[in-house]
Amino acid sequence: MHRKHIALSFALILSSFFVQAQNKYTLSGTISEASSNETLIGVTVAFPDLKTGVTTNEYGFYSITLPEGEYDITVSYLGFQDIRETVTLNTNIKKDFSLSEETEQLEEVVVTDDAERLDIRKPQMSVNTLAVQTIKQIPVVLGEADVIKSLLLLPGVTNAGEASSGFNVRGGAADQNLILLDEATVFNSSHLFGFFSVFNPDAIKDVKLFKGGIPARYGGRVSSVLEIFQKEGNSKELKVNGGIGAAASRLLVEGPITKDRTAFLVGGRASYAHLFLPLFDVDNKAYFFDLNTKFNHKINERNNIYLSGYFGRDLFSINDSFVNTYGNAVGNFRWNHLFSDKLFSNLSLIYSDYFYGLELDFVGFEWDSGIQNFNLKYDLKNYVSDKLQLNFGMHNIYYVFNPGKIKPNSPDSGIVEDQLTKKYANENAVYMDVEHKLTENLSVNYGLRVSQFNRFGQDEFFVYENDNPVLFDPFTLVYREAEPIDTINPGRSGTLKKFVNLEPRVSLSYNFKGKSSIKASYTRLAQYLHLLSNTSSPTPLDVWTPSGPFIEPQLLNQYAIGYFKNIQGGKFSFETEAFYKDIENRIDYIDGANLIANNAIEQVILNGEARAYGIELLLRKNEGRLKGWLAYTLSKSEQRTPGRTPTFDNGRSNLETGINLGEWYNTPFDKTHDLALYGSYDLNERWNFNANFIFQTGQPTNYPVGQFEFQGLVVPFYGLRNKERLPDYHRLDISATLKPKRKISKTFQSEWVFSIYNVYNRKNAASINFRQNQDTGRNEAIRTSIFGIIPAITYNFKF
């Protein structure tokens, strides 16, 4: 009897388990904008009674599995009317939602859900999202809305100053940022050497910056991931919008090919300030243009395809004797497939190219260089339950590096055509990422990425004695280039060096009654590509090179902990994070290194290390007529390259001094204090005012500490690296947006944007140079500034 009782009890428990499992059902679907069918990223589908929910992925898809029952649900997204419905789950349900904009709502309506807020319940931390509308409102130079310039108002994000390329995150270099446009890598994010970014805000749907706690699906850079998605195109009706500004104009057209099924988007932008230079008897030119395209087609309920592309070019010339051309070209074909209401997949075929060209007519040659990659990427997401989601996939990237090719541009130039040795590599990875809600208050993300990098053979490869391409002279204490002892031709079929790295990630969140939370994360990343640049800001002339026999991959360990709180029901929010990161194998250069057209770059590079640490604060006001934020970062960014293992010369040890005597020194992107204040005020339906103020500690630099005379010439000499600083940087920008009166029935909408950059005309130093005064014979410092006060007017329209 006892055995029968145990068996019966076991059977009842087992049957109860299966009944419970069978009584769980899945609600899934796609959420889009009602007026255009544009899918929306990050829409919240909440179940208030269960205190659970889910957000849409990069393609507007959501899925959640719950026990059988009747539930109230709320679908909410910034700038759109909430949808509240009751759903009865007694079978699997596919339910799509279309959200309508709130522009026609009464003034009393208050938006309480903000896509720019960080969800305090989720373990994701060190991430910032900017709405496109916010980006368009932030005042910038010459009135052109700019994604990169907007990011500089966030904590932990800086750059090398006005008109500088790229951006720096948590004390990292610009080349340590992975920039993705529709999943394709963008190698140079700047137009006109940093005056503008390559991203047309009219064509952008979503902008997200990961500074830490980076999910396992991303890899290849050790500082941050900037993920940008383009709009898909309006599949309901033809729409046109654009703008005419002081320096550039833009136009975007989108519409259906087959209504509610197939759509296209084409956007163009170009600058034209150079057209006015001949009026001032100036023959120089400096302009850019770019093109954004996208095509999407809904095959059926389970399959969608997308084809997107970007092409941009910059041209700078001086009297046609010096012509510089550079730019990006990317393309991506994607196939979304829904295996079931729980399993979503995306297959991508991606091409990316960065080109740099230089023509020196007075010398008689042309110079081309660049980098290309071909990427196959497959990602899957399994919505196991409302408490467990799995992300997994793989990617494979093939690289071609062109360090440079020189050729004559005329028969009598005297230049001999020469191609620097091309380099080839392949990077592949597999990953698994888990989003796990352990309890009502504790959530965790954990994952692992396994990456492999193969440096393939090349036509010519230099061999050095003792495998040492950089020699140290113990008598002069100077590093110098080693002479190759042989040249081999391994060919592209061989492998020069192979690297394999495990990259674990984990982040967790413990929330207190949904009002505040504590979060922590650990991230390990590997970066196999290096940007060769000895300037504080990347330039188009900089060249990318792969890891290999003499250049090790950069390896990051980052730790972060933070506190997050919603105040007054979300009217205000407060975020603070402390971080520490160390990077192995950060490349450094010997004194006097020549990086341009160098066919043996390993002769001037040493492997060092870097570290950065600090604390970030972000206080937001999310509701009301006045919105904005205050961001502050206190941080330190350093680098060092100690001497290598002692060498032996005739039995005697030669201890190397390293770079900067092996001591830590400030990186060019070390900013002790970084303060940004942004505010937006809606006066009424017609007028909106915006302002931002920025203060940063001056950029590290080198000043001469003395001088000596040699053969009648006065020669300055410098102390330790980056020991001095430029003066502190600060400025105030303001703008006002006027929307002319219009009838609600009219389809044409327009606005005027009046802006003033650098209101109080601060002459911020881009550099300080020293020279001898011809009259007094004394040395003097000369400050070089890029911008003073700049007013601008922009006219925007759409219909």
Side-chain angles (χ1 to χ4, degrees), residues 23-76:
N23 287 343
K24 283 193 173 185
Y25 300 101
T26 301
L27 175 68
S28 64
T30 301
I31 302 178
S32 59
E33 185 179 345
S35 62
S36 64
N37 275 344
E38 182 83 32
T39 58
L40 299 173
I41 302 173
V43 179
T44 299
V45 182
F47 295 76
D49 295 337
L50 299 179
K51 295 182 180 179
T52 190
V54 68
T55 57
T56 55
N57 69 3
E58 294 82 0
Y59 299 93
F61 177 78
Y62 77 94
S63 176
I64 188 168
T65 300
L66 298 169
E68 181 179 1
E70 185 175 271
Y71 300 103
D72 293 328
I73 65 172
T74 301
V75 182
S76 57

Short mmCIF file of all heavy atoms in Angstrom, two decimals, residues 23-76:
data_model
loop_
_atom_site.label_atom_id
_atom_site.label_comp_id
_atom_site.label_asym_id
_atom_site.label_seq_id
_atom_site.Cartn_x
_atom_site.Cartn_y
_atom_site.Cartn_z
N ASN A 23 -0.98 24.37 -19.93
CA ASN A 23 -1.84 25.53 -19.76
C ASN A 23 -1.10 26.85 -19.87
O ASN A 23 -1.58 27.87 -19.38
CB ASN A 23 -2.56 25.46 -18.41
CG ASN A 23 -3.66 24.41 -18.40
OD1 ASN A 23 -4.09 23.96 -19.46
ND2 ASN A 23 -4.10 24.02 -17.22
N LYS A 24 0.08 26.83 -20.45
CA LYS A 24 0.79 28.06 -20.74
C LYS A 24 0.68 28.35 -22.23
O LYS A 24 0.85 27.44 -23.06
CB LYS A 24 2.26 27.97 -20.32
CG LYS A 24 2.47 28.10 -18.82
CD LYS A 24 3.93 28.33 -18.49
CE LYS A 24 4.12 28.65 -17.01
NZ LYS A 24 5.52 28.98 -16.69
N TYR A 25 0.43 29.62 -22.57
CA TYR A 25 0.24 30.00 -23.96
C TYR A 25 1.07 31.24 -24.28
O TYR A 25 1.49 31.98 -23.39
CB TYR A 25 -1.24 30.25 -24.25
CG TYR A 25 -2.11 29.04 -23.99
CD1 TYR A 25 -2.86 28.94 -22.82
CD2 TYR A 25 -2.14 27.99 -24.90
CE1 TYR A 25 -3.65 27.83 -22.57
CE2 TYR A 25 -2.91 26.87 -24.66
CZ TYR A 25 -3.67 26.79 -23.49
OH TYR A 25 -4.42 25.68 -23.24
N THR A 26 1.28 31.45 -25.58
CA THR A 26 2.16 32.52 -26.05
C THR A 26 1.39 33.60 -26.79
O THR A 26 0.59 33.30 -27.68
CB THR A 26 3.25 31.95 -26.97
OG1 THR A 26 4.01 30.97 -26.25
CG2 THR A 26 4.18 33.04 -27.47
N LEU A 27 1.65 34.84 -26.39
CA LEU A 27 1.14 36.01 -27.11
C LEU A 27 2.32 36.63 -27.84
O LEU A 27 3.35 36.94 -27.23
CB LEU A 27 0.54 37.02 -26.12
CG LEU A 27 0.07 38.36 -26.72
CD1 LEU A 27 -1.13 38.15 -27.62
CD2 LEU A 27 -0.25 39.36 -25.61
N SER A 28 2.21 36.79 -29.16
CA SER A 28 3.32 37.32 -29.95
C SER A 28 2.78 38.15 -31.10
O SER A 28 1.59 38.10 -31.42
CB SER A 28 4.20 36.18 -30.49
OG SER A 28 3.45 35.37 -31.39
N GLY A 29 3.67 38.92 -31.71
CA GLY A 29 3.27 39.73 -32.84
C GLY A 29 4.27 40.83 -33.13
O GLY A 29 5.40 40.83 -32.63
N THR A 30 3.84 41.77 -33.95
CA THR A 30 4.68 42.89 -34.37
C THR A 30 3.97 44.19 -34.02
O THR A 30 2.76 44.31 -34.16
CB THR A 30 4.97 42.83 -35.88
OG1 THR A 30 5.62 41.60 -36.18
CG2 THR A 30 5.85 43.97 -36.32
N ILE A 31 4.74 45.18 -33.58
CA ILE A 31 4.19 46.49 -33.24
C ILE A 31 4.77 47.53 -34.19
O ILE A 31 5.99 47.61 -34.38
CB ILE A 31 4.48 46.86 -31.78
CG1 ILE A 31 3.90 45.78 -30.85
CG2 ILE A 31 3.92 48.23 -31.44
CD1 ILE A 31 4.18 46.03 -29.38
N SER A 32 3.89 48.31 -34.79
CA SER A 32 4.32 49.28 -35.79
C SER A 32 3.59 50.60 -35.61
O SER A 32 2.64 50.71 -34.83
CB SER A 32 4.08 48.73 -37.20
OG SER A 32 2.71 48.44 -37.39
N GLU A 33 4.03 51.58 -36.36
CA GLU A 33 3.39 52.89 -36.37
C GLU A 33 2.20 52.86 -37.31
O GLU A 33 2.29 52.40 -38.45
CB GLU A 33 4.41 53.95 -36.81
CG GLU A 33 3.91 55.37 -36.75
CD GLU A 33 4.97 56.37 -37.18
OE1 GLU A 33 6.16 55.99 -37.24
OE2 GLU A 33 4.61 57.52 -37.45
N ALA A 34 1.05 53.36 -36.84
CA ALA A 34 -0.19 53.23 -37.61
C ALA A 34 -0.14 53.97 -38.94
O ALA A 34 -0.67 53.49 -39.94
CB ALA A 34 -1.36 53.76 -36.77
N SER A 35 0.52 55.12 -38.99
CA SER A 35 0.49 55.94 -40.19
C SER A 35 1.42 55.46 -41.29
O SER A 35 1.28 55.85 -42.45
CB SER A 35 0.84 57.39 -39.85
OG SER A 35 2.16 57.47 -39.33
N SER A 36 2.42 54.59 -40.93
CA SER A 36 3.41 54.21 -41.93
C SER A 36 3.73 52.72 -41.97
O SER A 36 4.40 52.27 -42.89
CB SER A 36 4.73 54.96 -41.66
OG SER A 36 5.27 54.57 -40.41
N ASN A 37 3.28 51.95 -40.97
CA ASN A 37 3.65 50.55 -40.81
C ASN A 37 5.13 50.38 -40.45
O ASN A 37 5.68 49.27 -40.52
CB ASN A 37 3.35 49.71 -42.06
CG ASN A 37 1.91 49.23 -42.08
OD1 ASN A 37 1.22 49.26 -41.07
ND2 ASN A 37 1.44 48.79 -43.25
N GLU A 38 5.80 51.46 -40.05
CA GLU A 38 7.19 51.39 -39.61
C GLU A 38 7.23 50.65 -38.28
O GLU A 38 6.58 51.03 -37.31
CB GLU A 38 7.74 52.80 -39.42
CG GLU A 38 9.19 52.86 -39.01
CD GLU A 38 10.14 52.74 -40.18
OE1 GLU A 38 9.80 53.18 -41.28
OE2 GLU A 38 11.23 52.18 -39.96
N THR A 39 8.00 49.55 -38.22
CA THR A 39 8.09 48.80 -36.96
C THR A 39 8.83 49.63 -35.92
O THR A 39 9.70 50.44 -36.25
CB THR A 39 8.82 47.47 -37.17
OG1 THR A 39 10.12 47.70 -37.71
CG2 THR A 39 8.03 46.57 -38.10
N LEU A 40 8.48 49.42 -34.65
CA LEU A 40 9.01 50.23 -33.56
C LEU A 40 9.87 49.37 -32.64
O LEU A 40 9.48 48.26 -32.25
CB LEU A 40 7.87 50.87 -32.77
CG LEU A 40 6.97 51.83 -33.58
CD1 LEU A 40 5.77 52.26 -32.74
CD2 LEU A 40 7.77 53.04 -34.04
N ILE A 41 11.04 49.89 -32.27
CA ILE A 41 12.00 49.18 -31.43
C ILE A 41 11.80 49.60 -29.98
O ILE A 41 11.69 50.78 -29.67
CB ILE A 41 13.44 49.48 -31.88
CG1 ILE A 41 13.63 49.09 -33.35
CG2 ILE A 41 14.45 48.77 -30.99
CD1 ILE A 41 14.97 49.52 -33.92
N GLY A 42 11.77 48.63 -29.08
CA GLY A 42 11.72 48.95 -27.66
C GLY A 42 10.36 49.30 -27.13
O GLY A 42 10.24 49.89 -26.05
N VAL A 43 9.28 48.95 -27.84
CA VAL A 43 7.93 49.18 -27.34
C VAL A 43 7.68 48.23 -26.16
O VAL A 43 8.03 47.05 -26.21
CB VAL A 43 6.88 48.94 -28.44
CG1 VAL A 43 5.47 49.15 -27.89
CG2 VAL A 43 7.13 49.86 -29.62
N THR A 44 7.06 48.75 -25.10
CA THR A 44 6.79 47.94 -23.92
C THR A 44 5.40 47.33 -23.99
O THR A 44 4.40 48.03 -24.19
CB THR A 44 6.89 48.80 -22.64
OG1 THR A 44 8.22 49.32 -22.55
CG2 THR A 44 6.59 47.96 -21.40
N VAL A 45 5.32 46.00 -23.85
CA VAL A 45 4.06 45.28 -23.70
C VAL A 45 4.03 44.80 -22.25
O VAL A 45 4.71 43.85 -21.89
CB VAL A 45 3.96 44.10 -24.68
CG1 VAL A 45 2.61 43.39 -24.52
CG2 VAL A 45 4.14 44.57 -26.11
N ALA A 46 3.24 45.49 -21.42
CA ALA A 46 3.27 45.24 -19.98
C ALA A 46 2.00 44.55 -19.50
O ALA A 46 0.90 44.78 -20.02
CB ALA A 46 3.45 46.55 -19.23
N PHE A 47 2.17 43.69 -18.50
CA PHE A 47 1.07 43.01 -17.81
C PHE A 47 1.11 43.49 -16.36
O PHE A 47 1.80 42.89 -15.52
CB PHE A 47 1.23 41.50 -17.90
CG PHE A 47 1.11 40.96 -19.30
CD1 PHE A 47 2.16 41.09 -20.20
CD2 PHE A 47 -0.04 40.32 -19.73
CE1 PHE A 47 2.05 40.61 -21.50
CE2 PHE A 47 -0.16 39.83 -21.02
CZ PHE A 47 0.88 39.98 -21.90
N PRO A 48 0.42 44.60 -16.05
CA PRO A 48 0.54 45.23 -14.72
C PRO A 48 0.22 44.29 -13.57
O PRO A 48 0.91 44.33 -12.53
CB PRO A 48 -0.46 46.39 -14.80
CG PRO A 48 -0.62 46.67 -16.26
CD PRO A 48 -0.49 45.35 -16.94
N ASP A 49 -0.78 43.44 -13.72
CA ASP A 49 -1.17 42.57 -12.61
C ASP A 49 -0.07 41.56 -12.26
O ASP A 49 0.08 41.16 -11.10
CB ASP A 49 -2.47 41.81 -12.95
CG ASP A 49 -3.66 42.76 -13.09
OD1 ASP A 49 -3.59 43.87 -12.51
OD2 ASP A 49 -4.64 42.40 -13.77
N LEU A 50 0.69 41.15 -13.28
CA LEU A 50 1.76 40.18 -13.07
C LEU A 50 3.11 40.84 -12.81
O LEU A 50 4.09 40.15 -12.51
CB LEU A 50 1.89 39.24 -14.28
CG LEU A 50 0.66 38.38 -14.62
CD1 LEU A 50 0.95 37.54 -15.85
CD2 LEU A 50 0.28 37.50 -13.45
N LYS A 51 3.17 42.17 -12.99
CA LYS A 51 4.42 42.91 -12.87
C LYS A 51 5.49 42.32 -13.79
O LYS A 51 6.65 42.13 -13.40
CB LYS A 51 4.91 42.94 -11.43
CG LYS A 51 3.99 43.68 -10.48
CD LYS A 51 4.55 43.72 -9.07
CE LYS A 51 3.61 44.48 -8.13
NZ LYS A 51 4.12 44.51 -6.74
N THR A 52 5.08 42.03 -15.02
CA THR A 52 6.00 41.49 -15.99
C THR A 52 5.68 42.10 -17.35
O THR A 52 4.69 42.82 -17.52
CB THR A 52 5.92 39.95 -16.06
OG1 THR A 52 6.99 39.45 -16.87
CG2 THR A 52 4.60 39.49 -16.64
N GLY A 53 6.52 41.81 -18.31
CA GLY A 53 6.30 42.35 -19.64
C GLY A 53 7.45 42.01 -20.57
O GLY A 53 8.37 41.26 -20.21
N VAL A 54 7.43 42.59 -21.76
CA VAL A 54 8.45 42.32 -22.77
C VAL A 54 8.55 43.55 -23.66
O VAL A 54 7.60 44.34 -23.74
CB VAL A 54 8.07 41.06 -23.59
CG1 VAL A 54 6.85 41.30 -24.46
CG2 VAL A 54 9.25 40.58 -24.44
N THR A 55 9.68 43.73 -24.32
CA THR A 55 9.85 44.83 -25.27
C THR A 55 10.14 44.27 -26.66
O THR A 55 10.67 43.16 -26.80
CB THR A 55 11.01 45.75 -24.86
OG1 THR A 55 12.22 44.99 -24.74
CG2 THR A 55 10.72 46.44 -23.54
N THR A 56 9.79 45.03 -27.67
CA THR A 56 10.01 44.59 -29.05
C THR A 56 11.49 44.64 -29.40
O THR A 56 12.25 45.47 -28.89
CB THR A 56 9.23 45.48 -30.04
OG1 THR A 56 9.59 46.85 -29.84
CG2 THR A 56 7.73 45.33 -29.83
N ASN A 57 11.90 43.72 -30.28
CA ASN A 57 13.30 43.67 -30.69
C ASN A 57 13.57 44.67 -31.81
O ASN A 57 12.74 45.53 -32.10
CB ASN A 57 13.68 42.23 -31.08
CG ASN A 57 13.00 41.77 -32.36
OD1 ASN A 57 12.27 42.52 -33.02
ND2 ASN A 57 13.23 40.53 -32.73
N GLU A 58 14.72 44.52 -32.48
CA GLU A 58 15.14 45.47 -33.51
C GLU A 58 14.22 45.47 -34.73
O GLU A 58 14.31 46.37 -35.57
CB GLU A 58 16.57 45.17 -33.96
CG GLU A 58 17.63 45.38 -32.90
CD GLU A 58 17.75 44.20 -31.95
OE1 GLU A 58 17.00 43.21 -32.14
OE2 GLU A 58 18.59 44.24 -31.03
N TYR A 59 13.32 44.50 -34.83
CA TYR A 59 12.41 44.42 -35.97
C TYR A 59 10.95 44.52 -35.53
O TYR A 59 10.04 44.13 -36.28
CB TYR A 59 12.66 43.13 -36.75
CG TYR A 59 14.07 43.07 -37.29
CD1 TYR A 59 15.10 42.46 -36.57
CD2 TYR A 59 14.39 43.67 -38.51
CE1 TYR A 59 16.39 42.44 -37.05
CE2 TYR A 59 15.69 43.64 -38.99
CZ TYR A 59 16.68 43.03 -38.26
OH TYR A 59 17.97 43.02 -38.74
N GLY A 60 10.72 45.02 -34.32
CA GLY A 60 9.36 45.25 -33.85
C GLY A 60 8.64 44.02 -33.38
O GLY A 60 7.44 44.06 -33.11
N PHE A 61 9.34 42.89 -33.22
CA PHE A 61 8.70 41.63 -32.83
C PHE A 61 8.74 41.47 -31.31
O PHE A 61 9.72 41.83 -30.65
CB PHE A 61 9.41 40.46 -33.49
CG PHE A 61 8.86 39.10 -33.09
CD1 PHE A 61 7.69 38.62 -33.66
CD2 PHE A 61 9.51 38.32 -32.15
CE1 PHE A 61 7.18 37.38 -33.29
CE2 PHE A 61 9.03 37.08 -31.78
CZ PHE A 61 7.85 36.62 -32.35
N TYR A 62 7.66 40.92 -30.74
CA TYR A 62 7.63 40.60 -29.33
C TYR A 62 7.01 39.22 -29.14
O TYR A 62 6.26 38.72 -29.98
CB TYR A 62 6.81 41.65 -28.55
CG TYR A 62 5.31 41.49 -28.71
CD1 TYR A 62 4.56 40.76 -27.78
CD2 TYR A 62 4.63 42.03 -29.80
CE1 TYR A 62 3.18 40.59 -27.93
CE2 TYR A 62 3.27 41.87 -29.97
CZ TYR A 62 2.55 41.15 -29.03
OH TYR A 62 1.19 40.96 -29.19
N SER A 63 7.31 38.60 -28.00
CA SER A 63 6.72 37.30 -27.66
C SER A 63 6.82 37.12 -26.16
O SER A 63 7.85 37.43 -25.55
CB SER A 63 7.47 36.17 -28.38
OG SER A 63 6.96 34.91 -27.99
N ILE A 64 5.74 36.61 -25.55
CA ILE A 64 5.74 36.33 -24.13
C ILE A 64 4.83 35.15 -23.85
O ILE A 64 3.75 35.02 -24.45
CB ILE A 64 5.30 37.58 -23.32
CG1 ILE A 64 5.49 37.35 -21.82
CG2 ILE A 64 3.87 37.99 -23.65
CD1 ILE A 64 5.36 38.61 -20.99
N THR A 65 5.28 34.26 -22.99
CA THR A 65 4.53 33.06 -22.64
C THR A 65 4.07 33.14 -21.18
O THR A 65 4.90 33.36 -20.28
CB THR A 65 5.39 31.81 -22.86
OG1 THR A 65 5.78 31.74 -24.24
CG2 THR A 65 4.62 30.54 -22.50
N LEU A 66 2.75 32.95 -20.98
CA LEU A 66 2.16 33.10 -19.65
C LEU A 66 1.17 31.97 -19.38
O LEU A 66 0.68 31.32 -20.32
CB LEU A 66 1.43 34.45 -19.54
CG LEU A 66 2.28 35.72 -19.70
CD1 LEU A 66 1.38 36.93 -19.85
CD2 LEU A 66 3.22 35.89 -18.53
N PRO A 67 0.81 31.75 -18.11
CA PRO A 67 -0.22 30.74 -17.80
C PRO A 67 -1.57 31.16 -18.37
O PRO A 67 -1.84 32.34 -18.62
CB PRO A 67 -0.25 30.74 -16.26
CG PRO A 67 1.06 31.29 -15.84
CD PRO A 67 1.44 32.28 -16.90
N GLU A 68 -2.42 30.19 -18.60
CA GLU A 68 -3.75 30.45 -19.13
C GLU A 68 -4.50 31.42 -18.21
O GLU A 68 -4.40 31.36 -16.98
CB GLU A 68 -4.53 29.14 -19.23
CG GLU A 68 -5.94 29.30 -19.79
CD GLU A 68 -6.68 27.99 -19.90
OE1 GLU A 68 -6.09 26.94 -19.51
OE2 GLU A 68 -7.83 27.98 -20.36
N GLY A 69 -5.22 32.36 -18.83
CA GLY A 69 -5.98 33.31 -18.02
C GLY A 69 -6.34 34.55 -18.81
O GLY A 69 -6.03 34.70 -19.99
N GLU A 70 -7.02 35.47 -18.12
CA GLU A 70 -7.43 36.74 -18.72
C GLU A 70 -6.56 37.84 -18.12
O GLU A 70 -6.43 37.96 -16.90
CB GLU A 70 -8.90 37.00 -18.43
CG GLU A 70 -9.44 38.24 -19.12
CD GLU A 70 -10.94 38.40 -18.91
OE1 GLU A 70 -11.72 37.87 -19.73
OE2 GLU A 70 -11.32 39.04 -17.90
N TYR A 71 -5.97 38.68 -19.00
CA TYR A 71 -5.00 39.67 -18.55
C TYR A 71 -5.29 41.04 -19.16
O TYR A 71 -5.69 41.15 -20.32
CB TYR A 71 -3.58 39.26 -18.93
CG TYR A 71 -3.13 37.94 -18.36
CD1 TYR A 71 -3.11 36.79 -19.15
CD2 TYR A 71 -2.74 37.85 -17.03
CE1 TYR A 71 -2.69 35.58 -18.62
CE2 TYR A 71 -2.32 36.64 -16.49
CZ TYR A 71 -2.31 35.51 -17.29
OH TYR A 71 -1.90 34.31 -16.76
N ASP A 72 -5.05 42.07 -18.34
CA ASP A 72 -5.01 43.44 -18.85
C ASP A 72 -3.60 43.70 -19.35
O ASP A 72 -2.62 43.39 -18.66
CB ASP A 72 -5.36 44.43 -17.75
CG ASP A 72 -6.81 44.31 -17.30
OD1 ASP A 72 -7.66 43.97 -18.14
OD2 ASP A 72 -7.08 44.55 -16.10
N ILE A 73 -3.49 44.28 -20.55
CA ILE A 73 -2.17 44.60 -21.10
C ILE A 73 -2.13 46.08 -21.47
O ILE A 73 -3.15 46.68 -21.82
CB ILE A 73 -1.81 43.73 -22.32
CG1 ILE A 73 -2.75 44.01 -23.49
CG2 ILE A 73 -1.81 42.27 -21.96
CD1 ILE A 73 -2.32 43.33 -24.77
N THR A 74 -0.92 46.65 -21.40
CA THR A 74 -0.69 48.04 -21.80
C THR A 74 0.47 48.06 -22.78
O THR A 74 1.56 47.54 -22.48
CB THR A 74 -0.37 48.92 -20.59
OG1 THR A 74 -1.45 48.87 -19.66
CG2 THR A 74 -0.16 50.36 -21.03
N VAL A 75 0.24 48.65 -23.94
CA VAL A 75 1.28 48.80 -24.96
C VAL A 75 1.63 50.27 -25.01
O VAL A 75 0.79 51.12 -25.30
CB VAL A 75 0.80 48.31 -26.34
CG1 VAL A 75 1.91 48.44 -27.37
CG2 VAL A 75 0.31 46.87 -26.26
N SER A 76 2.90 50.62 -24.71
CA SER A 76 3.28 52.03 -24.60
C SER A 76 4.63 52.29 -25.26
O SER A 76 5.52 51.44 -25.25
CB SER A 76 3.32 52.46 -23.13
OG SER A 76 4.20 51.64 -22.40
#
